[in-house]
């Protein structure tokens, strides 16, 4: 399949991906470096730093699908940048936004537990195999829309299984290791609206993972709805076909799959921070609020990972970077501190995320990452901890519905959601609309005050209670 752009499509591409605040300049773009399973060597990270310095004003962002994005790319530099990326072994994603109608969807980075193989079972090999197979594979570059997969086997929902098209959740079924499948999740507004992935009730042994993924991606490609963009995600097909028809189709291709009655319970912990690996060494996560970093910082991180660890780094779905295989975590923390990279922050900082609305142009002033920092700053000062997810618009790139506190931008204001919970498949409820950034912070302050008045086991319990009350009031 050849991809060509006519003049109209090209104009749309430029309009969409030029810098939001400089809308109209028409020559500045972002590029996503796909990082299979979020695992990078120090050398490749240095390569990213070079690209960032040369093409992207020395700036870089860790994304919530364990990729790295560079910004302010000049259109004229694109070919040079792509060839340098190729030398370093990086691919990128197709840009479905650039084309009209349902089409040009590809498989996005497969999200993986950032401690895969270091704590508990390794699942990253599947993600790497699948990402390599699908990236740039011409047979899968014109699906109705993008397709997202996730793997976790650590007992936590560190990859947001609920909002992927297809998730593999590690289970042990009658003594055999494998996965429970979840299908049809998606955080965006497209039909049938934000949707929590459903357990399919089948067991996938390790040796069938690739075939199962291939079969369902092919199903999306061949039978997904191409009527319009708003019906083109896999969640729409799952919703219209129903689970049992999807399962029948899957088994007709991969053979019968054993039943598993229950999904394993997943905790909402995302195990960032510091901890001990199965081999006795340590991991240490460097908090990078909003994933924002620089070429210089990336070079420092690369050097320290070689000095204190094995030179391997993990990008996390919470937009941070984790050092692994560390023998002396205190010494590493000290070295990070000495270089101005370490801050003693609370878990709210580690676990909160904000989207790239600065570059998308969908919010004005106080962009998603900045609002997240302000709200988390308030929580830190108040000594109350929870995670805050901020999306700049209803596309939900930072899954605002899945956090205890979520914000969704609408131009210059935000809507507030409360009561979401990862691992429980619980979507938060909208409790306020049209808040200015200052009002957003005030609203959270009021929630903290309400919590202080007592009566709840924890802050998140109170937020869930508020969400349930809203449901009852609205009658749904
Ligand atoms: C129909 C439109 C879009 C929808 C429904 C959508 C939705 C999403 C979702 C659900 C995620 C992943 C969240 C997760 O895995 O937890 C995501 C990731 C992301 N989105 Fe969007 N998005 C859309 C368009 C855009 C646009 C226009 C931009 C920027 C200009 C953008 C930037 C990003 C970025 C930077 C990420 C992290 C990505 C990665 O590494 O793959 N998105 N988006
Ligand atoms: S949520 Fe909206 S504003 Fe934020 S990156 Fe996605 S499309 Fe852009």
């Amino acid at each position: 399949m050849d991809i060509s752009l006519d003049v109209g499509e090209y104009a749309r591409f430029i309009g969409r991906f030029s810098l939001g605040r400089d809308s109209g300049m028409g020559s500045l773009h972002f590029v996503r470096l796909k990082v299979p399973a979020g695992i990078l060597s120090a050398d490749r990270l240095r390569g990213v730093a070079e690209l960032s310095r040369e093409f992207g004003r020395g700036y870089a962002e860790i994304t919530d699908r364990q990729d790295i994005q560079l910004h302010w790319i000049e259109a004229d530099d694109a070919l040079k940048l792509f060839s340098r990326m190729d030398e370093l072994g990086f691919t990128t994603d197709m840009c479905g936004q650039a084309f009209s109608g349902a089409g040009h969807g590809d498989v996005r980075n497969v999200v993986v537990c950032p401690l895969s193989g270091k704590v508990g079972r390794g699942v990253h090999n599947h993600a790497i195999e699948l990402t390599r197979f699908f990236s740039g594979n011409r047979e899968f570059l014109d699906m109705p829309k993008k397709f997202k997969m996730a793997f976790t086997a650590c007992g936590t929902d560190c990859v947001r299984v609920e909002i992927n098209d297809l998730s593999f959740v590690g289970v042990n079924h009658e003594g055999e290791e494998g996965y429970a499948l979840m299908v049809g999740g998606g955080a965006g507004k497209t039909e049938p609206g934000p949707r929590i992935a459903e357990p399919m009730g089948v067991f996938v042994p390790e040796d069938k993972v690739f075939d199962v993924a291939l079969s369902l991606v092919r199903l999306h490609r061949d039978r997904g709805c191409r009527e319009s963009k708003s019906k083109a995600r896999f969640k729409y097909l799952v919703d219209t076909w129903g689970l049992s028809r999807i399962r029948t189709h899957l088994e007709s291709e991969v053979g019968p799959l054993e039943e598993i009655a229950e999904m394993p319970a997943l905790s909402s912990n995302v195990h960032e921070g510091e901890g001990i690996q199965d081999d006795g060494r340590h991991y240490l996560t460097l908090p990078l609020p909003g994933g924002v970093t620089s070429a210089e910082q990336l070079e420092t991180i690369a050097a320290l990972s070689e000095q204190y660890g094995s030179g391997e780094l993990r990008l996390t779905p919470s937009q941070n970077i984790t050092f692994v295989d560390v023998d002396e975590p205190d010494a590493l923390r000290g070295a990070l501190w000495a270089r101005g990279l370490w801050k003693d922050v609370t878990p709210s900082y580690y676990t909160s995320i904000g989207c790239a609305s600065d570059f998308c142009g969908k919010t004005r002033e106080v962009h998603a990452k900045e609002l997240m920092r302000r709200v988390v700053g308030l929580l830190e000062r108040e000594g109350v901890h929870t995670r805050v997810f901020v999306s700049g618009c209803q596309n939900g790139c930072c899954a605002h519905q899945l956090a205890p506190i979520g914000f969704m931008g609408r131009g210059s204001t935000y809507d507030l959601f409360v009561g979401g919970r990862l691992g429980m498949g619980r979507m938060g409820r909208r409790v306020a609309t049209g808040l200015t950034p200052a009002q957003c912070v005030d609203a959270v302050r009021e929630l903290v005050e309400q919590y202080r008045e007592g009566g709840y086991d924890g802050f998140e319990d109170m937020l869930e209670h508020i969400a349930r009350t809203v449901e009852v009031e609205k009658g749904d």
Side-chain angles (χ1 to χ4, degrees), residues 16-17 26 86 98 160 168 204 268 320 335 340 361 379 415 440 460 467:
R16 208 62 171 208
F17 290 94
D86 196 43
R160 298 183 285 275
F168 292 83
V204 180
S268 65
N320 297 314
L379 293 174
D415 291 357
C440 291
E460 293 182 359

Side-chain angles (χ1 to χ4, degrees), residues 45-60:
L45 194 64
R46 268 187 214 102
V48 174
E50 269 173 39
L51 297 182
S52 152
R53 196 168 268 131
E54 194 173 339
F55 300 101
R57 302 189 188 174
Y59 177 89

